[in-house]
Amino acid sequence: MSVTVLGISASPRFEGNSDLLLRQALAGAESAAAETEYVRLCDLNITPCTECNFCYESGKCRIDDDYQTLCSKMLEADRMIFATPVFFMTVSAQAKTLIDRCQCLWAQKFVLKQPLITTGRDRRAMVIAVGGTKSKKMFDSIRLTMKYYLNVLDMRYAANLFVNHVDALGEIEKHPSAMNEAFRLGKELVTAPKAPDQPLDVQLT
Ligand SMILES: Cc1cc2nc3c(=O)[nH]c(=O)nc-3n(C[C@H](O)[C@H](O)[C@H](O)COP(=O)(O)O)c2cc1C
């Protein structure tokens, strides 16, 4: 059976910089015979969490929108590659809306103490982020948010690809190494015998 890889693109820009890196990473995964799926959050209807706490008793989210299908995909995939632009020092609104809706998974795990997935699965994720400036702290918030999000999803945080000082639409294609690194890391996410103890941290300027 092929390793399955779910790519989630959280940029509002079609073929934005993080989106282009995600596609390269998925191409890298495919080069290692993985079965990939690409999802663009802007194409989906996912409304924000209303904090109704229905999930604290049911483990389910009662909002009936595209989150339900995407949630199943996130739980089924062997690997996930999550790509976001840096907006105000954190993930995009599209990304944050999806992450907040995963509160029902948090409730299922930590309030109701029900397992999300079959135990013993090797699930891993990689995070891609691109920011326009050179601020030193621009990925700090994303690191922390993704750490907790991936923990809720029962996924090992295997790698980051963070690129700064890339702003204009599609500018990433002119970067000397980012596209190649995305391909390499996407391939490695599939082929590495196990997830590293700490996320592999690739930061490029
Ligand atoms: C609403 C908004 C907020 C942004 N905030 C930041 C920021 O805090 N730090 C930064 O370095 N770049 C910021 N940028 C620039 C984007 O991160 C940059 O253009 C990036 O290349 C976008 O990636 P994308 O093409 O994948 O959407 C912001 C852009 C927008 C539109």
Side-chain angles (χ1 to χ4, degrees):
M1 285 264 289
S2 305
V3 172
T4 57
V5 183
L6 175 66
I8 298 183
S9 181
S11 173
R13 290 206 283 202
F14 181 65
E15 297 189 340
N17 296 310
S18 56
D19 186 69
L20 291 170
L21 287 177
L22 170 61
R23 289 165 192 236
Q24 275 295 103
L26 290 174
E30 281 167 16
S31 77
E35 195 183 305
T36 67
E37 180 173 359
Y38 167 85
V39 173
R40 192 169 170 253
L41 293 181
C42 273
D43 293 337
L44 304 181
N45 173 32
I46 300 180
T47 58
C49 172
T50 58
E51 207 178 359
C52 67
N53 293 352
F54 174 80
C55 59
Y56 281 51
E57 284 167 21
S58 66
K60 308 270 177 240
C61 181
R62 74 169 162 201
I63 305 174
D64 184 15
D65 62 9
D66 292 333
Y67 169 76
Q68 304 293 350
T69 306
L70 185 53
C71 179
S72 303
K73 290 180 186 199
M74 290 189 295
L75 295 177
E76 280 161 20
D78 298 312
R79 306 284 188 271
M80 184 169 79
I81 307 177
F82 195 101
T84 179
V86 179
F87 280 180
F88 280 85
M89 305 297 267
T90 188
V91 296
S92 68
Q94 289 78 2
K96 191 59 167 58
T97 302
L98 169 63
I99 292 167
D100 288 353
R101 286 290 296 283
C102 293
Q103 179 72 350
C104 62
L105 303 180
W106 180 89
Q108 193 181 327
K109 270 178 79 165
F110 298 112
V111 179
L112 302 175
K113 316 255 185 246
Q114 294 168 358
L116 292 185
I117 56 158
T118 328
T119 47
R121 285 191 58 199
D122 173 18
R123 282 166 39 91
R124 305 178 208 169
M126 166 180 166
V127 177
I128 293 171
V130 181
T133 70
K134 284 184 169 177
S135 164
K136 284 204 172 70
K137 296 190 171 183
M138 66 200 275
F139 301 111
D140 290 3
S141 163
I142 292 179
R143 267 182 223 286
L144 201 56
T145 299
M146 296 312 290
K147 178 179 167 184
Y148 283 89
Y149 166 56
L150 296 177
N151 179 52
V152 164
L153 285 177
D154 284 333
M155 282 191 144
R156 296 290 302 277
Y157 195 159
N160 287 316
L161 175 58
F162 292 154
V163 189
N164 64 18
H165 206 208
V166 174
D167 208 2
L169 181 69
E171 194 185 333
I172 197 74
E173 288 184 302
K174 294 187 201 137
H175 191 282
S177 59
M179 298 295 270
N180 287 342
E181 278 296 278
F183 187 95
R184 182 183 72 80
L185 290 168
K187 186 174 179 182
E188 205 170 297
L189 191 67
V190 175
T191 57
K194 66 182 188 71
D197 292 336
Q198 294 296 322
L200 204 68
D201 196 18
V202 178
Q203 280 198 60
L204 307 172
T205 299

